[in-house]
């Protein structure tokens, strides 16, 4: 079954990446597993300049939609990150349709004109709740999303189901408060003892079905390290059963 809402984040292949496998090769694996969308992770590039055009060609050949996860911030010391245009250029060269950043240190000044120029480049932009108190809390996400909404700036929000536990907040409360802003969803479960650990769906303490029931019917990415093809297919089946 190929569900167009499902996305496979390359974090699931963390072990393979550590062993030298390139993300272009992971596209073939993702398609073979039945996914139509893949989220590329910038930190997984080994030679970005060489790999980007190959990823574009392979994704086109396999008819895969691409998302782009960039582990950087929109705001640095209250001002816009000067690398944002570079990341958008990378996204466009790959044929990416959606890029994701973290908010960073947003102090209230949006730099609205510059944000609008970023959006003019044709790539959908969202921010995510990360695992920091600076930009991963309900308050931080709500403050920023209210500000862009007030200015009519079309930036979306990636609801990361598991990250709430890492900042000591409740994923269900977050879903209720932030649901109107959600454009994209990352799913993982979490074990809390002996330490916080991201795990597969139904293997931790999160009632992920209850949280998803509150959220809009957005693309959903499987985003946590796995150790086997079977674990990926297990999560895929659980999500397909839920959203069918």
């Amino acid at each position: 079954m190929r569900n167009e809402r499902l996305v496979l984040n390359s974090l699931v292949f963390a072990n393979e990446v550590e062993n030298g496998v390139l993300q272009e090769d992971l596209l073939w694996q993702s398609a073979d597993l039945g996914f139509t969308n893949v989220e590329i992770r910038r930190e997984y590039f080994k030679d970005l300049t060489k790999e980007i055009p190959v990823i574009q060609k392979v994704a086109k050949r396999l008819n895969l939609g691409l998302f782009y996860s960039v582990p950087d911030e929109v705001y640095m010391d209250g001002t816009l990150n000067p690398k944002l245009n570079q990341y958008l250029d990378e996204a466009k060269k790959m044929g990416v349709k959606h890029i994701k950043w973290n908010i960073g240190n947003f102090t209230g000044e949006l730099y609205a004109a510059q944000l609008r120029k970023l959006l003019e480049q044709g790539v959908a932009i969202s921010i995510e709740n990360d695992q920091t108190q600076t930009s991963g809390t309900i308050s931080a996400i709500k403050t920023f999303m209210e500000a862009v909404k007030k200015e009519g700036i079309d930036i979306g929000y990636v609801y990361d189901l598991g990250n709430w536990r890492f900042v000591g907040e409740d994923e269900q409360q977050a879903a209720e408060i932030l649901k109107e802003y959600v454009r994209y969803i990352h799913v993982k479960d979490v074990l809390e003892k002996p330490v916080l650990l991201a795990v597969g769906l139904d293997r931790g303490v999160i009632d992920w079905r209850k949280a998803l029931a509150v959220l809009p019917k957005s693309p959903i990415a499987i985003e946590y390290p796995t150790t086997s093809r079977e674990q990926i297919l297990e999560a895929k089946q659980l999500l397909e059963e839920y959203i069918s």
Side-chain angles (χ1 to χ4, degrees), residues 124-140:
I125 295 172
S126 290
I127 55 89
E128 180 186 45
N129 56 292
D130 59 16
Q131 295 181 6
T132 71
Q133 293 296 323
T134 300
S135 55
T137 63
I138 295 172
S139 175

Side-chain angles (χ1 to χ4, degrees), residues 154-196:
D154 191 26
I155 289 177
Y157 162 54
V158 181
Y159 172 93
D160 189 298
L161 176 67
N163 281 353
W164 299 110
R165 297 285 173 136
F166 288 84
V167 296
E169 295 193 333
D170 180 77
E171 64 277 348
Q172 194 65 36
Q173 182 184 20
E176 295 283 357
I177 293 172
L178 301 171
K179 59 187 176 184
E180 68 175 287
Y181 306 115
V182 174
R183 301 262 184 92
Y184 182 29
I185 301 164
H186 281 175
V187 293
K188 60 173 72 77
D189 209 334
V190 174
L191 285 174
E192 293 188 317
K193 296 178 181 180
V195 295
L196 285 168

Side-chain angles (χ1 to χ4, degrees), residues 23-119:
Q23 288 192 95
E24 63 202 59
D25 299 315
L26 301 180
L27 295 181
W28 291 96
Q29 292 189 46
S30 300
D32 185 56
L33 288 164
F35 288 87
T36 59
N37 298 286
V38 176
E39 185 165 10
I40 299 295
R41 296 182 74 90
R42 192 177 193 273
E43 69 270 28
Y44 280 180
F45 282 115
K46 294 174 174 60
D47 188 331
L48 187 144
T49 302
K50 290 182 179 179
E51 292 174 53
I52 278 180
V54 180
I55 284 175
Q56 189 272 335
K57 290 177 183 177
V58 173
K60 186 175 181 180
R61 179 173 178 179
L62 296 174
N63 195 28
L64 291 173
L66 294 182
F67 293 64
Y68 193 23
S69 172
V70 179
D72 206 350
E73 302 171 338
V74 178
Y75 298 94
M76 301 178 71
D77 299 320
T79 62
L80 279 186
N81 185 342
K83 293 184 178 179
L84 298 180
N85 274 303
Q86 173 191 333
Y87 300 142
L88 284 169
D89 286 342
E90 295 166 3
K92 289 185 290 185
K93 288 175 182 176
M94 282 188 286
V96 162
K97 58 186 179 182
H98 182 279
I99 193 168
K100 184 260 320 173
W101 295 308
N102 300 319
I103 301 172
N105 183 25
F106 174 60
T107 59
E109 174 59 53
L110 275 176
Y111 299 92
Q114 292 95 316
L115 290 181
R116 289 190 176 94
K117 282 192 174 295
L118 295 176
L119 288 163

Side-chain angles (χ1 to χ4, degrees), residues 188-220:
K188 60 173 72 77
D189 209 334
V190 174
L191 285 174
E192 293 188 317
K193 296 178 181 180
V195 295
L196 285 168
L197 179 68
V199 294
L201 300 181
D202 286 344
R203 295 176 183 270
V205 298
I206 292 177
D207 188 342
W208 59 271
R209 295 172 183 84
K210 183 179 178 182
L212 291 185
V214 173
L215 301 175
K217 290 179 169 54
S218 306
I220 301 174

